[in-house]
Amino acid sequence: METVMAFVIGIFFSIGTYLILTKSLLRIILGTSIIGHGALLLLLTMGGLKQGEAPLLGMGAAAYADPLPQALILTAIVINFGTTAFFLVLAYRAYQEFKSDDMKKLRGTEHE
Amino acid sequence: MSISVILLIVIPFFTGALFVLFPKQVKLQRLLSVMSFSLILAVGVRLLHTIHTQGIQTLELGGWAPPFGIVLVGDMFSTLLVVTSSLLALGCTIYSFTSIEPERERYYYYAFLQFLVTGVNGSFLTGDMFNLFVFFEVMLLASYVLLSLGGLKKQLRAGIMYVLINIVSSMLFIVAIAYLYAVTGTLNMAHLSVRVAEAGQPGILTAIALLFLVIFAVKSALLFFFWLPESYSAPPTAISALFAGLLTKVGVYAIFRMFTLIFYHDPAITHTVIAWMAVATMVLGAVGSIAYGNIQKILSYNIIIAIGFIVIGLAVFQEEAIAGAIYYLMHDMVVKTLLFLLGGAMVGLVGTYQLKEMSGMIRNHPYLGWMFFIASLALVGVPPLSGFFGKLLVLQGSLDSQAYILFTVGLLSSLAVLYSTMKIFMNGFWGENQLSKKDEKTSTRGLLFPCTLLIGVSLFLGVGVELVQVYVTQAASELMNPAIYIEAVLDRSY
């Protein structure tokens, strides 16, 4: 199962990298989001995908899934969400100011 | 067990949270900001003394023993940096009273300064990898907002680039933590160190170490500095000066912590890579600092040179050189902030960043001019001033371990620093006076006091070497003997 996940995460990272290297700002933000998904799935996979009950004591099971990666992922998701929201609003403001979302047009020093 | 370790994080956090309640009461926020940073300074100095007499101070959050809970660790290295950073924050806050526009101040400016310091202090003091990630994000989110607050075109453009670079490197940070957790099964730094030592750092751990090196190098502008010059010239002076003093230095701190506490078993690979990165950083930084005629670009490239120089100390990996690097790191935080503040005052007077368009300012502003001169000489490392002792130790250490390339490049980089800052001084302050008092865009009223404060700190670091040296030596010996740290955190000896 880990092998399959490794391939899936690899695909996520390649798509994200490709999108970050494109010209349109919105695609770049989507790229960071997809890389973020890849990183979080990696955290889940690296914690081990062994069989076990959900980490709730009430289940009374013999074995549980590792709760630590889940807590880390939850934290990282929220942080990721905050930064992405900020980035989207920043991109919107930039679109209003520059009337373009083409990263090539944002280069240079003519606006200073 | 020491409560003051957490006070250093909690004080700025609650002050910042309090400011959210009354955004329009700017006067009250100014007063409370100064009080908060002074309080951190006092607590930090007291903690320095405690660590000096009683060893490393730890605090187990929630009473959970490490490695199961999060532990905060105040060792000499991190506390020295906390004290230095609170001094800088104090200086930059006072500088922003007169230099930041009232509209910016009313939009939670002081609250974000407090959150930035929360993140920085947290990163210095934490003893847990994932907690380090979280505090990095606290610091970075505050810096995103401070960078783009005001919404000028150049701020938006620099903001997009800065946010993108940092999101990508944060994602890589998560990936590196995931790999590290899979291999070792722990996230507590002391416990990690034990586990890595038990495994003898096989190839996979060295690969993870290099991944961490790349991540922190992006954050600290070591070799991967392409984002820095433009981002740091976008925000107002007080903010870019604070960034120059704090942000990259947190990355440097993380590199030092990782490669002295955890990944020190395979220096033939890791420390060689670090050495070459330091050399390349210094060379490229020197080229940039000589090439530009724009004050903020020159000063930004000087940050990059200094990062390379500090990292030499780690690459040499010898107690004397590490002590020199710590000393130089503290000095560089103070002096770089000071130079940015003084450069910002010059730019404010003339209204342009270009050196070509200014000259002869010494006639009307002798105090500003001579402060800039002293700060430049301190940065270069002229003997009675603060940069000398650190540079001496680092270079001596690299000679002792026969790292001649590091020695030569480190020494030559000082020349580039001297040339580039003297270019600013001679172009800006000497020559014909083009600017009468009436033509000046702003005055330097209120801006020179915080600069005097910082130059006082810099002079103290230079003249009072022997007072500081005791602490720096202890910090270096703690870094070179990870057993001290592990014993303090895990309460058993290995």
Side-chain angles (χ1 to χ4, degrees), chain B residues 328-396:
Chain B
Y328 195 78
L329 181 58
M330 289 161 59
H331 139 82
D332 188 63
M333 287 167 80
V334 174
V335 172
K336 212 44 73 57
T337 305
L338 179 62
L339 277 174
F340 263 78
L341 293 179
L342 293 171
M346 289 168 68
V347 169
L349 289 172
V350 192
T352 171
Y353 293 106
Q354 298 301 331
L355 277 178
K356 272 183 283 183
E357 295 164 32
M358 53 180 83
S359 75
M361 284 160 72
I362 198 92
R363 204 163 299 273
N364 288 337
H365 301 282
Y367 193 49
L368 179 68
W370 294 118
M371 274 213 286
F372 192 91
F373 184 71
I374 294 175
S376 314
L377 291 188
L379 187 65
V380 176
V382 173
L385 301 167
S386 59
F388 171 69
F389 194 65
K391 270 198 175 160
L392 180 72
L393 284 182
V394 169
L395 292 175
Q396 213 164 34

Side-chain angles (χ1 to χ4, degrees), chain A residues 41-61:
Chain A
L41 281 177
L42 186 77
L43 203 48
L44 190 71
T45 313
M46 285 312 212
L49 295 174
K50 294 172 205 74
Q51 297 295 316
E53 284 297 328
L56 298 168
L57 274 181
M59 306 290 271

